[in-house]
Amino acid sequence: PTRLELGGAWHSSGIHAISMIATWLAPENVSVTSVEKELCPQSGLPIYVQTQLDWNGIPVEITVDWRQYGAIQQTELTYEDRQLLIDHDTQSIDDEGDYIECGYMDAAIQQYHQYFTTFEEESHAQEAIRIFRILSAVDEKI
């Protein structure tokens, strides 16, 4: 019940994963290849979403899991023949056993600031639109 206003796991947490990936992989040619979900029996909102994306030819798997008490946000992707596991909660990357601590980034400042405060710059507006198209494409399959 306390998470109802967040619109479900994908609306609240999917944007974190997509915007973080977009900081280093341009969201120019992204398609949804599959979506698995579990809905909350009381609210009907998604509490678990696992989506497979083709991100500029790179296979990306994003998992958002609210079935436990915490919100788990992870992304798995193969990049330059390496398996990367990105944990969006701890803001860390597991690069096949090499653990990279990215430090704390306030999502509202670091990830969204450039998208929502500089719309007068066409490049940022277009990137924001691409990010929301990815979010919406997954949402349509939930």
Side-chain angles (χ1 to χ4, degrees):
T2 61
R3 297 184 181 198
L4 281 175
E5 293 180 12
L6 299 175
W10 184 248
H11 278 200
S12 178
S13 300
I15 190 68
H16 293 286
I18 292 169
S19 62
M20 184 173 175
I21 296 168
T23 63
W24 53 283
L25 285 177
E28 293 171 351
N29 187 17
V30 181
S31 60
V32 179
T33 54
S34 71
V35 175
E36 292 182 28
K37 67 180 183 277
E38 182 177 328
L39 304 179
C40 170
Q42 288 82 23
S43 69
L45 294 173
I47 55 174
Y48 169 83
V49 176
Q50 184 178 70
T51 184
Q52 304 277 337
L53 305 171
D54 181 306
W55 193 301
N56 302 339
I58 298 169
V60 173
E61 177 182 292
I62 299 173
T63 302
V64 180
D65 191 347
W66 281 10
R67 295 175 295 185
Q68 304 300 318
Y69 291 106
I72 296 171
Q73 304 171 73
Q74 294 182 334
T75 300
E76 294 181 14
L77 62 98
T78 302
Y79 184 70
E80 296 178 348
D81 297 325
R82 297 183 343 243
Q83 288 297 118
L84 303 177
L85 175 64
I86 302 170
D87 187 318
H88 299 277
D89 291 322
T90 63
Q91 297 177 13
S92 62
I93 300 173
D94 182 346
D95 182 0
E96 297 181 337
D98 290 329
Y99 186 76
I100 303 164
E101 181 62 49
C102 298
Y104 180 76
M105 295 187 305
D106 185 313
I109 294 172
Q110 297 294 333
Q111 295 179 30
Y112 305 140
H113 178 77
Q114 65 175 322
Y115 303 125
F116 300 116
T117 62
T118 59
F119 269 173
E120 68 275 5
E121 297 179 30
E122 181 67 18
S123 62
H124 292 297
Q126 290 304 313
E127 189 167 338
I129 290 167
R130 285 189 208 101
I131 287 170
F132 277 97
R133 283 188 179 143
I134 299 167
L135 189 74
S136 298
V138 173
D139 190 48
E140 289 174 4
K141 296 180 182 274
I142 293 178

